[in-house]
Amino acid sequence: GRAGGGGRALTQTRRRGARPGGAAAAGGVDGFLERELRGRVEHAYPPLRRLARLLFAHPRPAYGAEEAARVAAEVRRLASGRPDAEVLGPHRPRVARVRGRHRWSIVVKADDPAELLRPLDLPAGWRLEIDPASVD
């Protein structure tokens, strides 16, 4: 509440009963935060590691899949021998096509993903986000 006057919070989710909304509605915010942090520790997500997302879009799906696999292999080569680094993907994001362009995503978890990816020469069609708001 606010200053003893009570309060109201609205949340938006894709699914009714999703963990954040369900925990908050039940008054279990502390429990939700504990579970969330355990999951982040288990999977090495922030704040334990930082993330980078490489997103590729192309009108031809076959070429896009080939290019995403090529870049993912190059990123894995850069990450090899680094115990702090993990490469996920390529995978198709939840929104797999935008304006006729098919999309692929590669996620990199590392202590410093920008430094890890610095030698990578990305051709046109790629976008690199450090600490993205979403990885899907």
Side-chain angles (χ1 to χ4, degrees), residues 3-135:
R8 188 171 97 166
L10 301 175
T11 61
Q12 182 176 358
T13 179
R14 288 187 172 106
R15 296 177 320 218
R16 181 182 296 260
R19 290 184 334 182
V29 174
D30 290 336
F32 165 74
L33 293 175
E34 288 174 22
R35 284 189 306 276
E36 186 69 18
L37 186 55
R38 271 196 311 269
R40 288 171 179 264
V41 168
E42 180 181 343
H43 299 290
Y45 279 112
L48 291 114
R49 293 264 177 6
R50 294 182 64 200
L51 299 178
R53 178 184 187 209
L54 295 112
L55 184 67
F56 183 65
H58 196 273
R60 293 191 343 252
Y63 174 78
E66 183 179 303
E67 173 66 6
R70 183 192 70 76
V71 170
E74 179 66 13
V75 172
R76 283 189 174 83
R77 186 190 66 73
L78 292 171
S80 68
R82 291 191 49 162
D84 71 304
E86 183 179 354
V87 180
L88 307 173
H91 70 276
R92 297 296 301 267
R94 186 175 308 184
V95 179
R97 195 172 80 187
V98 174
R99 295 185 187 130
R101 296 173 63 85
H102 300 268
R103 301 170 4 133
W104 287 264
S105 182
I106 300 167
V107 175
V108 178
K109 296 192 274 187
D111 291 340
D112 187 353
E115 183 267 327
L116 174 92
L117 297 171
R118 193 165 283 116
L120 192 61
D121 186 23
L122 293 173
W126 282 97
R127 185 172 79 210
L128 170 62
E129 300 171 276
I130 303 296
D131 297 324
S134 172
V135 293

